[in-house]
Amino acid sequence: MPPELDAIAQVIDGWRTQGADRVAPLRFHRIAALHARAAQRDGDARRQLEAKLSALVEAYAHEIAEADDTHTMARARGDLGVLADDMTARARDDAAYPELPAVDDFRRLWSTLRTRTQVRKSLAQAPTGAGPLNSAALAHRSLTLMGGLSPGYLQHFLSYVDTLSWLETLQDAGVLTGKETALPVGAKPRAKPRVRKKS
């Protein structure tokens, strides 16, 4: 094997030993395959392959150096440090770009559309064959009357109910209080461990 190809073979083996072949596996495999092909050629074909191979090896060495620098910086800073830097940069960006008035308009529009959708769903689910004191029928009737007398109030009311429903879901999941979730109906609570009396 010519001296140049022999030197490249040592570089390739060194990268494999260090694990640098995983920086860009496809490019590394291309270099290894091109090296094997150049070793089988003679004359002008070998010289052309060697020139191409040298350029690829140099580019890959540069890529390994960049990957090492990035990895070293991230390792020195730590995951929390990187996260803190990112949050600080975002806070600076938020300060530089104040919230646009269009965002408020968008929020109002989204809230209105969501509430209208809820009103439509609530009024469309009229219970059939229910008695006069059926809770679903009473709720439907009150929403219908509220919508006829004051559509704006109905939207406000449903938004309020939606928020309460969301908070109840969080409460049941134990997110708000930090306590365990409530036991299902019919489940027995766990017995407290007995304390042994010292004799």
Side-chain angles (χ1 to χ4, degrees):
M1 189 177 293
E4 190 173 344
L5 287 181
D6 191 34
I8 290 175
Q10 290 176 359
V11 169
I12 290 172
D13 291 340
W15 284 343
R16 278 198 184 105
T17 305
Q18 297 167 3
D21 57 332
R22 292 187 295 259
V23 171
L26 290 176
R27 275 194 277 282
F28 180 82
H29 182 67
R30 182 178 178 203
I31 290 170
L34 195 62
H35 177 267
R37 186 179 301 158
Q40 297 171 353
R41 300 286 187 263
D42 289 324
D44 192 39
R46 173 177 279 172
R47 279 190 294 279
Q48 287 179 2
L49 288 173
E50 284 176 357
K52 189 171 188 177
L53 189 58
S54 294
L56 289 174
V57 166
E58 187 178 332
Y60 195 74
H62 183 68
E63 191 171 354
I64 290 171
E66 285 182 354
D68 283 346
D69 289 346
T70 305
H71 184 64
T72 303
M73 283 172 58
R75 198 171 42 202
R77 186 73 177 112
D79 291 340
L80 288 176
V82 172
L83 178 62
D85 291 343
D86 187 46
M87 290 173 69
T88 304
R90 287 179 191 269
R92 258 188 258 117
D93 290 346
D94 290 345
Y97 300 103
E99 197 167 299
L100 301 172
V103 174
D104 289 336
D105 294 340
F106 177 76
R107 283 188 185 130
R108 266 194 300 277
L109 177 64
W110 176 252
S111 176
T112 304
L113 288 174
R114 178 166 166 71
T115 308
R116 283 183 187 166
T117 304
Q118 289 175 326
V119 168
R120 239 182 281 120
K121 282 182 182 177
S122 300
L123 296 179
Q125 297 172 355
T128 54
L133 297 179
N134 181 285
S135 60
L138 289 173
H140 185 270
R141 193 175 314 135
S142 64
L143 290 175
T144 305
L145 288 172
M146 200 183 300
L149 294 173
S150 178
Y153 182 77
L154 176 62
Q155 290 182 356
H156 216 40
F157 175 76
L158 284 177
S159 175
Y160 178 71
V161 169
D162 186 41
T163 303
L164 287 177
S165 172
W166 179 70
L167 288 172
E168 183 183 24
T169 304
L170 291 177
Q171 175 77 24
D172 290 345
V175 174
L176 296 179
T177 58
K179 296 178 181 176
E180 293 182 6
T181 56
L183 291 173
V185 177
K188 294 180 181 178
R190 286 192 301 183
K192 292 182 181 177
R194 294 181 182 176
V195 180
R196 292 185 180 177
K197 293 181 181 178
K198 292 181 181 177
S199 53

